[in-house]
Amino acid sequence: MDPAIQRALNDKLYDKRKVGALELERVIRDLVAHKDYAKVETILDQLCNEFAYAVHQPHARNGGLIGLAAAAIALGPELARYLEVIVPPVLACFTDQNARVRYYACEAMYNIAKVAKGEILVYFNHIFDALCKLGADSELSVKNGAELLDRLIKDIVSESAATYVSVLEQPPGYNEDDKDGTDESVELPTAFSLKRFIPLLKNRIYALNPFTRTFLVGWITLLDSIPDLELVTYLPEFLGGLLRFLSDPNQDVHVATQGCLDKFLNEIKRIARIKKGIAESKRSKEGKRKRVDSIDSGSVPPQLEEGDELDSDTVAEDEIDSEDDWIPGQDVQVNHKAILEILTATLESPQERGTEHGLLESLRWIVEFLEICPEEVLPFTPKILAHLLPAMASGVESIRQAAGRVNTSLMDYVVSLSDEADDRMLPPSRVPTAPSPAGDRPDGTASARGSISGSREEIRSPTPGQMRGLPRTPTPSMLPPPGPTQPDLDYAAAVNSLTLLFLNDHEATRVAALTWLIMLHRKAPKKVLAFNDGTFPALLKTLSDPAEAVVTKDLQLLSQISKNSEDDYFSNFMVNLLQLFSTDRKLLETRGNLIIRQLCTSLSPERIYRTLADCIEKEEDLEFASIMVQNLNNNLITAPELAELRKRLRNLETKEGQTFFVALFRSWCYNAVATFSLCLLAQAYEQAYNLLQIFAELEMTVNILIQIDKLVQLLESPVFTYLRLQLLEPERYPHLYKCLYGLLMLLPQSSAFAALKNRLNSVSSIGYLHITPRPNATTPSASSFDRPARLKGREEGIIRWNELLEKFRSVQERARRLQHPGGGAGDLDDVAGGGGPSDLRGHALEGVGSGAGPGRTMRGPVPVRETPPPLPPKPDPPAPKPRSGLGRQLGRLGGAVSGRGKRS
């Protein structure tokens, strides 16, 4: 360069540097005009080495920058071959410590790019990286200069990025305006490449500066708006970072990012619709082609309706032989799986304060993907559920609603997928093709009557008029081709994820997890929740949950599993349930009644009570057995779900009713009052009276008196309405009076005593009418009432009442020994025989013809007279065994009643 130009470029004043640059521009123009390219290269090397790269001389660097810009302007069309010399020193000045140098670097690059246009795209990555840093520069002038340069580069990218090929890559004779003469099979590399740019974007997408984030979102939006680039193909590379941008406190960043994500999602939906439409069009044309082939072969398909006129020539020319028009987006490949992995990872990331926007966006995308490509979402279901269900209990209302929408859509798809799988397994003859006639079943199969009648009818060919009225049955050629095999849900992983949610702190999450398990087990009972897997203990432990809704869902699931399992599972379930109650008495106290009633709602109440009774009879812990029997008995009397079971117990004429009563009685023996109430419920009043005789020998504890008090209150409930009405028929139910007066004698002077006394006083005059002998009695010892057929049936049945009483004695004596280990057994040792509660097992039932004839009378261990003595009362004959004062009082119950009647 001329020394005067060098001095001007090295001056500290901008105006003098500008004068030097203008003179340098004139010199280079002359050199280019004379094609003295060697002198041009020498000048450019001098500008780079002596000026632009002079790190410690800011004025020289500024002069070098303005000189390089002037040289680029002077080179004009010849700039492309010199860019590799001019651009690197300008890029190096972007990182200078001096803010003025950085600003002039932006100015110089602006002028260079304005002249180079598409050629500058070869250095796009370097310029983009520099602008990404300058966008967050602390100097306002530098930021403004970077913004101007950024706008220019965006304009160049919008115009040329998709198609521009650098002149250095063009073959000889290439003309961009006239490409007809070139070989189209040779694909020339463009100056801009997304494949080279995406790694840089992926590296910068995790920036934290809001200005840098705004810069990145702007470029992503621009590149996505260029149709031929198809940035959506590379979306998984930077989607995770974009989702993080939503949590930026800067509102401008949030708004820009949300708009960018909306565009990407709409584009994915548009591409999916296009591909789906093309696939359906191909299937339709394939079907028409087969129909045309059948016409050409001379076979007319019988399923043609009126108006289905086909012109084979028209079809062949217009639809089959014509080439498909290219639709933008039909060949774009969207990696749904990679996107779903990022969305799932966003759900899994710890949700800190301010990050709910990313979670909301991920949930929104998952809902849309369930409509776009649900088969791709299915493999991610276990991971989604693990973090979706906790979001349903979020403190943010919008997150709860979004999670609820995802949960509903995902569950609906899983349900429909199972149904479709079942339909695919049906043979072709079972696939429903038309609305079923009135005689068909809802599942699409013909009824037996219709199938028989159809087989007997004569088969005739329908006329064309009849064919038009018949429903169209698709032939194999009309059916759509089988699609790709649907991926199956990983049931094991899903169950594991849902089981872990039992430990979640929020009730809504636990309820949702159990709801999913119920649905999965209903769809695939063989794949979900076997008894021997690790889920069953978790389900049992969930019964201790403090939330009633969770316990209800848990019981519904356990009941559903029991319905679809063998008897061993049900028995093990009952055994484990009793063990849980035994170890967790608080659960039995707070949730015992709920659990029992819910199980009886879902399963057979009789089966539950039979199984529990068998388990309780083998129980070694007599205290727990008594408490458990008390709970079961209270539910048996009061629960609306057990109304049918109460009716079964009152019907002891049938063999089923008798066996059920015996099964309950043997285990109910652990609780004296419960056994007595069971007899009242079954209308076995004579057996109940005999139990009272044994009550007199028991130790009257406070617990027993409390239970009797509760029983008296239950006698006033609607369940025992029939019993209160039977008090009006003393001749038919004489032992009922003795039972109730016996309870009255056991009770202390309390509110229950007063209530029962008032009830008996209201019918006291009726109660001893049967005592007066009838005029037509043949003998004074004849029975004053006729025993009804029902009572005779009990005597002639298969229940061994005496053995049941002995069973009761032995169990109560065993309980007494455990309470008083130092005391003697007394006379009950001989009765119990030293055996346990199961010594009499299997002997309480007696087959027909085993000795219980119609003339035999049921007696307890204490003689009981069926007819009270005539007034005035006479002393009872001496009993064979001394009894307590209370027992003697019960024995003279008839005399006491008649005496009260006289006084009244």
Side-chain angles (χ1 to χ4, degrees):
M1 287 186 294
D2 186 85
I5 297 177
Q6 295 183 40
R7 286 194 300 270
L9 292 177
N10 205 18
D11 197 278
K12 63 180 180 179
L13 296 177
Y14 173 76
D15 293 337
K16 291 185 178 181
R17 291 197 302 270
K18 185 176 181 181
V19 172
L22 292 175
E23 182 63 22
L24 179 62
E25 180 182 349
R26 184 188 60 78
V27 172
I28 294 179
R29 284 183 189 276
D30 293 340
L31 293 175
V32 172
H34 293 86
K35 297 184 178 182
D36 190 356
Y37 298 120
K39 184 67 178 291
V40 172
E41 291 179 0
T42 303
I43 294 175
L44 292 177
D45 289 341
Q46 189 178 6
L47 285 173
C48 293
N49 297 325
E50 297 181 9
F51 289 86
Y53 284 130
V55 179
H56 300 293
Q57 302 177 23
H59 301 304
R61 298 197 85 174
N62 292 336
L65 289 171
I66 196 171
L68 289 173
I73 296 173
L75 287 171
E78 301 295 331
L79 178 60
R81 65 182 65 186
Y82 297 104
L83 280 178
E84 62 179 355
V85 178
I86 295 175
V87 172
V90 178
L91 292 173
C93 292
F94 279 133
T95 59
D96 194 276
Q97 294 181 355
N98 194 316
R100 299 302 297 172
V101 175
R102 297 196 300 272
Y103 172 76
Y104 287 124
C106 294
E107 184 182 69
M109 186 61 73
Y110 183 90
N111 292 321
I112 295 170
K114 196 169 185 180
V115 177
K117 294 184 179 179
E119 288 294 332
I120 202 66
L121 296 179
V122 177
Y123 301 94
F124 175 80
N125 280 14
H126 300 87
I127 298 174
F128 179 88
D129 191 29
L131 289 175
C132 187
K133 298 174 183 177
L134 293 177
D137 199 284
S138 58
E139 188 67 29
L140 182 61
S141 61
V142 178
K143 291 174 65 175
N144 292 334
E147 184 178 353
L148 291 174
L149 177 60
D150 180 58
R151 291 178 183 176
L152 177 62
I153 300 298
K154 283 181 178 177
D155 293 339
I156 296 173
V157 169
S158 300
E159 295 174 2
S160 309
T163 57
Y164 186 82
V165 179
S166 175
V167 295
L168 303 178
E169 300 289 341
Q170 296 174 3
Y174 178 85
N175 188 358
E176 187 177 356
D177 297 331
D178 185 14
K179 297 181 181 180
D180 297 336
T182 61
D183 188 3
E184 296 182 357
S185 62
V186 179
E187 185 177 353
L188 299 176
T190 57
F192 176 81
S193 172
L194 271 180
K195 189 175 182 180
R196 294 194 302 267
F197 168 68
I198 291 300
L200 175 61
L201 177 62
K202 183 179 179 180
N203 187 30
R204 290 285 178 264
I205 199 65
Y206 294 101
L208 300 178
N209 189 281
F211 298 103
T212 304
R213 287 181 167 182
T214 304
F215 171 81
L216 293 173
V217 173
W219 269 103
I220 291 173
T221 304
L222 172 69
L223 294 175
D224 184 54
S225 64
I226 302 175
D228 294 334
L229 290 183
E230 305 300 349
L231 183 63
V232 69
T233 305
Y234 299 93
L235 180 60
E237 301 295 332
F238 54 88
L239 178 60
L242 278 181
L243 292 174
R244 289 175 178 266
F245 287 7
L246 291 173
S247 303
D248 196 286
N250 191 310
Q251 188 65 21
D252 294 337
V253 177
H254 176 81
V255 173
T257 306
Q258 188 65 59
C260 179
L261 289 170
D262 290 343
K263 290 181 179 179
F264 275 119
L265 184 57
N266 291 331
E267 186 175 0
I268 293 173
K269 293 164 65 176
R270 180 182 61 83
I271 293 171
R273 286 196 302 267
I274 291 173
K275 291 187 176 183
K276 184 178 180 181
I278 292 175
E280 292 177 354
S281 177
K282 287 183 179 180
R283 287 196 296 266
S284 176
K285 290 181 180 181
E286 183 68 21
K288 290 182 179 180
R289 181 182 288 109
K290 292 182 179 180
R291 293 166 69 180
V292 171
D293 293 342
S294 63
I295 292 175
D296 294 339
S297 61
S299 59
V300 180
Q303 63 273 10
L304 293 179
E305 293 183 350
E306 184 178 2
D308 288 348
E309 298 178 358
L310 293 177
D311 186 349
S312 60
D313 296 335
T314 303
V315 172
E317 292 177 1
D318 297 343
E319 297 188 11
I320 296 179
D321 294 337
S322 63
E323 295 183 357
D324 296 334
D325 295 332
W326 183 83
I327 303 175
Q330 70 178 27
D331 55 349
V332 178
Q333 300 298 325
V334 179
N335 194 343
H336 299 104
K337 181 179 179 180
I339 294 175
L340 284 167
E341 288 179 352
I342 296 172
L343 297 176
T344 307
T346 304
L347 297 179
E348 295 176 358
S349 61
Q351 300 300 324
E352 301 174 357
R353 186 174 183 181
T355 61
E356 62 269 9
H357 298 290
L359 177 60
L360 275 173
E361 190 67 14
S362 298
L363 293 174
R364 186 168 74 95
W365 277 56
I366 292 175
V367 168
E368 297 294 342
F369 271 50
L370 283 170
E371 296 182 1
I372 297 171
C373 53
E375 67 282 353
E376 297 283 352
V377 182
L378 192 62
F380 294 92
T381 299
K383 293 182 180 179
I384 292 175
L385 289 176
H387 304 279
L388 170 68
L389 301 188
M392 295 178 65
S394 173
V396 182
E397 178 65 23
S398 56
I399 292 180
R400 287 201 304 271
Q401 293 178 357
R405 288 192 295 269
V406 175
N407 183 62
T408 301
S409 301
L410 187 57
M411 182 174 290
D412 291 344
Y413 173 66
V414 172
V415 171
S416 65
L417 179 68
S418 300
D419 294 339
E420 291 174 2
D422 295 340
D423 291 341
R424 287 197 300 269
M425 295 177 65
L426 292 175
S429 61
R430 295 287 301 277
V431 176
T433 57
S436 58
D440 289 356
R441 298 193 182 100
D443 59 358
T445 58
S447 62
R449 180 181 300 177
S451 61
I452 295 175
S453 61
S455 62
R456 295 179 180 176
E457 292 180 356
E458 181 182 358
I459 301 176
R460 300 177 181 178
S461 300
T463 62
Q466 293 173 338
M467 288 172 56
R468 299 187 187 103
L470 293 175
R472 299 183 64 185
T473 303
T475 61
S477 62
M478 293 181 62
L479 291 174
T485 304
Q486 295 283 354
D488 195 10
L489 175 64
D490 189 349
Y491 285 94
V495 170
N496 290 336
S497 298
L498 294 169
T499 305
L500 292 176
L501 293 177
F502 292 169
L503 303 176
N504 193 273
D505 295 335
H506 299 93
E507 175 184 348
T509 299
R510 301 194 297 272
V511 171
L514 288 167
T515 303
W516 265 95
L517 287 174
I518 291 171
M519 184 274 293
L520 292 177
H521 184 268
R522 185 178 296 117
K523 288 298 175 184
K526 296 182 179 179
K527 297 181 180 180
V528 181
L529 304 176
F531 175 76
N532 54 358
D533 63 11
T535 310
F536 183 77
L539 292 177
L540 281 177
K541 186 173 182 59
T542 307
L543 292 176
S544 304
D545 195 279
E548 184 172 334
V550 176
V551 176
T552 302
K553 284 290 183 181
D554 190 27
L555 290 170
Q556 184 179 348
L557 176 57
L558 288 169
S559 302
Q560 186 173 295
I561 298 173
S562 300
K563 285 182 179 179
N564 294 276
S565 305
E566 299 178 354
D567 292 338
D568 292 342
Y569 180 95
F570 182 81
S571 300
N572 288 328
F573 173 36
M574 293 293 108
V575 170
N576 283 274
L577 180 62
L578 284 177
Q579 291 178 355
L580 180 63
F581 283 151
S582 178
T583 55
D584 191 353
R585 298 295 178 87
K586 185 177 180 181
L587 172 65
L588 178 60
E589 180 182 352
T590 57
R591 289 282 185 265
N593 292 333
L594 172 65
I595 293 173
I596 294 171
R597 293 189 178 191
Q598 185 63 36
L599 288 176
C600 291
T601 302
S602 306
L603 298 173
S604 169
E606 183 175 350
R607 184 186 182 192
I608 292 174
Y609 266 72
R610 280 182 179 272
T611 308
L612 288 177
D614 291 341
C615 297
I616 292 173
E617 189 176 357
K618 304 173 185 177
E619 180 64 43
E620 297 295 332
D621 187 352
L622 300 186
E623 179 187 2
F624 167 71
S626 176
I627 296 174
M628 195 65 209
V629 167
Q630 183 179 354
N631 279 270
L632 291 174
N633 185 70
N634 290 339
N635 283 281
L636 180 63
I637 296 175
T638 61
E641 298 84 357
L642 300 177
E644 293 299 325
L645 207 58
R646 291 192 289 271
K647 292 181 181 179
R648 173 71 62 88
L649 277 175
R650 290 203 295 266
N651 186 18
L652 292 186
E653 288 80 9
T654 62
K655 182 178 180 180
E656 293 78 9
Q658 294 175 1
T659 54
F660 181 51
F661 173 80
V662 170
L664 293 187
F665 191 98
R666 296 183 64 86
S667 58
W668 259 233
C669 290
Y670 288 98
N671 189 290
V673 180
T675 312
F676 180 79
S677 61
L678 176 66
C679 293
L680 293 183
L681 199 62
Q683 302 185 63
Y685 301 133
E686 188 173 353
Q687 183 77 352
Y689 177 70
N690 291 332
L691 288 176
L692 283 179
Q693 304 293 318
I694 304 177
F695 275 25
E697 303 170 3
L698 301 178
E699 180 181 356
M700 278 295 133
T701 62
V702 176
N703 186 29
I704 293 179
L705 292 177
I706 291 175
Q707 294 182 45
I708 295 176
D709 188 286
K710 293 180 179 180
L711 176 60
V712 171
Q713 298 176 22
L714 289 175
L715 291 176
E716 300 296 324
S717 65
V719 175
F720 284 104
T721 301
Y722 70 93
L723 183 145
R724 297 194 298 272
L725 289 176
Q726 289 173 354
L727 291 174
L728 302 177
E729 302 179 80
E731 68 280 0
R732 294 187 59 191
Y733 308 100
H735 289 90
L736 175 58
Y737 275 85
K738 294 184 178 183
C739 292
L740 297 185
Y741 274 108
L743 283 183
L744 195 65
M745 297 299 104
L746 293 177
L747 284 171
Q749 300 289 331
S750 61
S751 58
F753 178 89
L756 182 57
K757 179 181 177 183
N758 290 336
R759 174 67 66 182
L760 293 174
N761 285 341
S762 62
V763 291
S764 61
S765 58
I766 301 177
Y768 59 84
L769 286 179
H770 66 284
I771 299 175
T772 305
R774 295 184 181 180
N776 56 355
T778 56
T779 61
S781 61
S783 177
S784 60
F785 63 94
D786 295 328
R787 189 179 300 274
R790 182 178 60 84
L791 295 178
K792 291 182 179 179
R794 290 187 183 181
E795 292 179 359
E796 300 169 6
I798 59 176
I799 302 178
R800 293 190 174 183
W801 300 96
N802 290 334
E803 291 187 0
L804 292 179
L805 287 176
E806 294 302 324
K807 169 70 174 179
F808 180 79
R809 281 179 181 274
S810 63
V811 171
Q812 292 299 319
E813 174 61 16
R814 182 183 171 194
R816 188 188 67 79
R817 288 175 177 176
L818 292 177
Q819 291 178 358
H820 306 286
D827 295 335
L828 288 178
D829 288 342
D830 299 332
V831 177
S838 59
D839 291 340
L840 300 177
R841 185 175 182 83
H843 299 289
L845 296 181
E846 182 180 17
V848 179
S850 60
R856 297 186 62 182
T857 305
M858 181 183 65
R859 297 293 183 189
V862 180
V864 179
R865 291 172 299 178
E866 296 190 3
T867 304
L871 296 177
K874 297 180 180 180
D876 291 337
K881 185 183 294 186
R883 296 185 297 179
S884 64
L886 182 59
R888 291 192 297 272
Q889 186 177 9
L890 291 176
R892 302 193 195 93
L893 190 56
V897 171
S898 59
R900 291 179 59 208
K902 278 188 174 184
R903 289 192 296 272
S904 62

